[in-house]
Amino acid sequence: MNQMVIRGVSSQTFVAANIRRIEEFYGKVLGLPVVKRTVHHHDARLPVVTFGFHQYADEQPRGESITYIEWNPIFYMMPETGFIEQGATQDGVANPLVGDPKGRWGAGTNHHLALHVPNRDGLLKWKRRLADHGVHVTGPYNRHYFHAIYLRDPDGAIIEIATTEPGFGHDEAVLGSGFRPQPKENLIGGRDELQVAAETWPQPVPDVTADYALRGFHHITSISSDAERTENFFVKRVGLRLIKKTDYLDERGGTHFYYACDEDLSPGSVLTFFGLPGYKPGRLGTGLSHHFSLEVENDAALVEEHARFRRLGIEISTI
């Protein structure tokens, strides 16, 4: 029986300037396996690599993946519409425009991808391992629903590593029950930044072991210039469930809305949006996510969702 609803987050795709450098980072530093090397389905001149996650005993299998598309000419802008339609993709590759290939996050773009570790000890081990590899890390920060550190991939895309504990629903009996302010000690200006920066694992961690290996996605965060408009789109049109409204912890005046694809609020099922009124639109390019994918049960469900979106007047590609 088709569920005909969004089941979770399937993948996230980034743009890279050098795909070999990305493989080195994800494979040797983050310890993730390559599950596919191929070329873009619209143009074979664009190399593509996809990473998955190792499976561990007594844990639910995780099917999420991280994909990188290489946009190699370092002096050329990426096509404005990305790599969505075949004709535009081929024209963009064949006729590159001189400019800056670097992406710029803003309204309408992804802000970061959060990956998942079971507990805070694992988070501190990642901070120590990454720092020993010369990667700049900030955190660990108390995000109230989890703890997190932040880093950047070799092109500058923001990657978060977040804990399962204490969970998205730990502070409320009825989810989506109105705006909930964050504790002041978690907010910018209220937390002890020097203490946060100093905390790390005391010994080197030369190998990625099962106790702290990355388990899959935790959540995906994007940027909205109008939080209520985004809420209307994802709840009333896409069909996700609003589970939380709270403060954006790192900029005064911003909001942070959380949406779930399942009832359990499990890691990998949550999308979040920073509400930053008046933010300029972002620009696709290297060091930025190109898109994320949501999962439905099967091809029949995809056809049904495609038809539903068209009936709602949502601009949508072919299947």
Side-chain angles (χ1 to χ4, degrees):
M1 181 177 178
N2 297 331
Q3 292 185 352
M4 304 301 182
V5 294
I6 304 298
R7 289 155 54 102
V9 180
S10 174
S11 64
Q12 183 149 0
T13 297
F14 293 85
V15 183
N18 185 313
I19 217 154
R20 289 186 179 180
R21 183 174 63 180
I22 290 295
E23 283 199 36
E24 182 88 4
F25 177 73
Y26 273 89
K28 292 189 177 180
V29 180
L30 296 185
L32 297 186
V34 172
V35 296
K36 184 187 292 185
R37 293 183 183 90
T38 185
V39 293
H40 198 277
H41 59 286
H42 285 161
D43 196 300
R45 290 169 290 184
L46 296 172
V48 175
V49 63
T50 299
F51 304 92
F53 296 88
H54 294 290
Q55 304 296 325
Y56 295 93
D58 302 322
E59 293 186 10
Q60 188 76 15
R62 303 295 294 269
E64 303 100 340
S65 59
I66 305 168
T67 293
Y68 277 80
I69 304 169
E70 183 180 80
W71 181 247
N72 190 40
I74 61 171
F75 298 117
Y76 300 136
M77 288 189 294
M78 181 178 161
E80 186 175 346
T81 56
F83 310 120
I84 299 173
E85 298 295 344
Q86 186 167 8
T89 300
Q90 292 176 344
D91 180 69
V93 177
N95 301 292
L97 299 175
V98 175
D100 183 2
K102 194 76 173 174
R104 182 190 67 241
W105 59 261
T109 74
N110 176 252
H111 184 268
H112 65 268
L113 167 65
L115 305 177
H116 168 223
V117 291
N119 55 49
R120 202 171 185 277
D121 280 353
L123 201 66
L124 294 179
K125 289 181 179 181
W126 273 115
K127 182 177 180 180
R128 178 60 187 264
R129 175 174 172 80
L130 289 161
D132 287 348
H133 277 82
V135 178
H136 177 66
V137 180
T138 58
Y141 291 113
N142 183 351
R143 299 318 202 181
H144 198 47
Y145 315 114
F146 52 89
H147 294 253
I149 60 173
Y150 300 84
L151 58 137
R152 290 180 181 267
D153 78 2
D155 289 290
I158 302 172
I159 305 295
E160 177 180 7
I161 302 177
T163 63
T164 309
E165 305 160 344
F168 290 108
H170 83 97
D171 64 344
E172 47 187 297
V174 180
L175 299 177
S177 55
F179 191 92
R180 293 183 173 270
Q182 287 274 5
K184 291 183 179 179
E185 62 269 20
N186 292 351
L187 292 164
I188 190 168
R191 59 199 183 213
D192 188 335
E193 300 288 359
L194 291 178
Q195 180 178 344
V196 168
E199 187 177 10
T200 190
W201 195 252
Q203 295 90 26
V205 279
D207 300 310
V208 180
T209 51
D211 61 308
Y212 79 103
L214 298 171
R215 291 321 204 256
F217 287 10
H218 188 275
H219 65 273
I220 287 175
T221 296
S222 300
I223 301 171
S224 168
S225 61
D226 186 329
E228 286 70 29
R229 182 178 61 186
T230 299
E231 177 187 345
N232 179 73
F233 178 79
F234 277 97
V235 174
K236 294 185 177 180
R237 309 187 87 187
V238 176
L240 303 187
R241 189 160 61 100
L242 176 66
I243 58 172
K244 202 173 301 294
K245 297 181 178 181
T246 186
D247 302 296
Y248 178 30
L249 293 164
D250 299 323
E251 183 168 329
R252 292 181 177 90
T255 57
H256 199 172
F257 287 16
Y258 293 73
Y259 304 88
C261 302
D262 68 14
E263 296 293 327
D264 298 330
L265 312 185
S266 57
S269 71
V270 174
L271 302 179
T272 87
F273 278 81
F274 296 147
L276 299 171
Y279 255 54
K280 294 180 180 179
R283 184 184 69 196
L284 287 173
T286 57
L288 197 69
S289 170
H290 183 274
H291 68 271
F292 60 81
S293 301
L294 302 178
E295 179 184 323
V296 293
E297 185 179 12
N298 53 32
D299 286 348
L302 183 64
V303 171
E304 176 65 24
E305 290 295 276
H306 185 268
R308 184 175 71 85
F309 290 154
R310 290 193 67 177
R311 289 195 299 269
L312 290 171
I314 297 172
E315 185 177 347
I316 189 168
S317 74
T318 56
I319 294 178

